[in-house]
Amino acid sequence: MKKNALTLIISALLLMSLASCGSNVEQPEVIDTPEETVTEVVEEVPSEDEVSAPAEEEPEEEIPAGHIRPDDYDPDAAIGEPGWYPTAQGLVDYCLYWKDQPHCYSWDANGQYLTKEFIDQYSAWYPDWFGVDDRLELRREIQDQGVRAFDCIGIIKAYVWGDYSQDNTSRRTDDTNYYTRDLLHHDTVYGPLRELPEVPGIVLWRKGHVGIYLGDGKVIECTQEYYPKSGESKVGGIIISDLKDRGWSYWVEYPGILYLDEDDQ
């Protein structure tokens, strides 16, 4: 009986020990996994106005420099005075004026007086030109008599430079010293003769020569040729010719000249 009692005590102790051990075992932490949240993505549909591409703004029309009226422009200012700017009509008036004044054609001349010094210098620079058709002798006969000398583009430059001569050189600059051969290669507005605007003062161009359009099919030009229709002498000079007779190729707005509307001039 004692033996049974001892067995019961031992069994009880073992059960208590096992219970104690079980209570000390760390149980794994149960992590609650949240339910996956599904977010409905709603695609925004652009409106009809948004679908249409915005209209591109039309670029502003670029106005050529010769059509912009300077703020200080004075249409009543005398040539070369403050507020004076070369204009298309002014070029016409200048050429018409000098047509009736003592002048002659001379290669590369821009309005200088035909003095002995001028002829000496220019005949040394251009011996081939002065050595033809008694050109040198004919000009020697009229030197130092108040005669002004121009070539075809030289009369335009003389006007743009404020009536240029040996006594008036302040407006002359190298970057405005254009030549017939390269006039169309500068930043110029030009077009074929068939599209000639009816604008007095537009410059006409052909290879080796320029003239100034007067309107109504007439041209004023400074030429070295003895032009039978004009009755001018062999020293050459300013004549009026017919547009259709002279083989012009292009019209040009000459750089530095204002091509304004009549209301602006």
Side-chain angles (χ1 to χ4, degrees), residues 207-229:
K207 186 176 181 180
H209 190 47
V210 296
I212 297 96
Y213 187 54
L214 294 177
D216 297 325
K218 296 294 183 181
V219 180
I220 191 164
E221 54 181 301
C222 189
T223 174
Q224 66 182 358
E225 301 171 19
Y226 178 65
Y227 193 51
K229 292 184 180 180

Side-chain angles (χ1 to χ4, degrees), residues 244-263:
K244 65 181 184 301
D245 291 343
R246 303 292 281 156
W248 304 110
S249 301
Y250 294 95
W251 60 266
V252 188
E253 290 186 358
Y254 193 89
I257 290 180
L258 298 177
Y259 289 88
L260 303 175
D261 295 333
E262 290 184 5
D263 294 340

Side-chain angles (χ1 to χ4, degrees), residues 31-259:
I31 301 175
D32 293 333
T33 304
E35 294 183 3
E36 183 176 355
T37 303
V38 178
T39 303
E40 183 179 0
V41 178
V42 179
E43 183 178 357
E44 293 186 5
V45 179
S47 66
E48 183 177 346
D49 292 338
E50 292 174 329
V51 170
S52 301
E56 294 184 3
E57 294 184 3
E58 293 185 3
E60 294 185 4
E61 183 179 357
E62 184 177 352
I63 302 175
H67 295 251
I68 300 174
R69 185 182 189 273
D71 293 337
D72 60 341
Y73 171 67
D74 180 0
D76 298 322
I79 186 169
E81 295 298 318
W84 173 81
Y85 287 86
T87 65
Q89 185 59 52
L91 175 61
V92 167
D93 295 341
Y94 186 79
C95 294
L96 288 171
Y97 172 81
W98 277 105
K99 179 181 180 297
D100 296 327
Q101 303 301 316
H103 75 280
C104 74
Y105 181 98
S106 192
W107 187 265
D108 201 29
N110 306 308
Q112 295 95 328
Y113 287 95
L114 196 68
T115 62
K116 179 181 183 303
E117 291 76 17
F118 171 86
I119 295 175
D120 288 346
Q121 184 178 60
Y122 272 63
S123 60
W125 285 349
Y126 308 112
D128 293 340
W129 188 86
F130 278 92
V132 177
D133 296 334
D134 299 325
R135 289 172 182 168
L136 180 58
E137 290 76 8
L138 288 168
R139 285 156 183 77
R140 290 290 190 196
E141 292 175 5
I142 56 175
Q143 70 184 27
D144 297 322
Q145 296 181 31
V147 175
R148 298 280 290 276
F150 306 96
D151 70 2
C152 64
I153 201 169
I155 193 168
I156 303 174
K157 290 189 279 190
Y159 170 66
V160 170
W161 294 340
D163 193 28
Y164 179 84
S165 71
Q166 295 97 323
D167 302 327
N168 181 26
T169 62
S170 62
R171 288 179 176 265
R172 183 199 179 281
T173 59
D174 288 339
D175 61 349
T176 58
N177 189 23
Y178 301 105
Y179 293 93
T180 303
R181 63 179 177 270
D182 63 356
L183 182 58
L184 301 186
H185 300 295
H186 292 276
D187 187 17
T188 50
V189 177
Y190 68 94
L193 190 67
R194 66 178 178 275
E195 299 174 1
L196 172 66
E198 189 63 24
V199 176
I202 286 283
V203 173
L204 300 171
W205 183 95
R206 74 177 195 223
K207 186 176 181 180
H209 190 47
V210 296
I212 297 96
Y213 187 54
L214 294 177
D216 297 325
K218 296 294 183 181
V219 180
I220 191 164
E221 54 181 301
C222 189
T223 174
Q224 66 182 358
E225 301 171 19
Y226 178 65
Y227 193 51
K229 292 184 180 180
S230 72
E232 299 294 332
S233 73
K234 288 187 178 181
V235 295
I238 301 167
I239 63 169
I240 293 178
S241 58
D242 292 326
L243 175 68
K244 65 181 184 301
D245 291 343
R246 303 292 281 156
W248 304 110
S249 301
Y250 294 95
W251 60 266
V252 188
E253 290 186 358
Y254 193 89
I257 290 180
L258 298 177
Y259 289 88

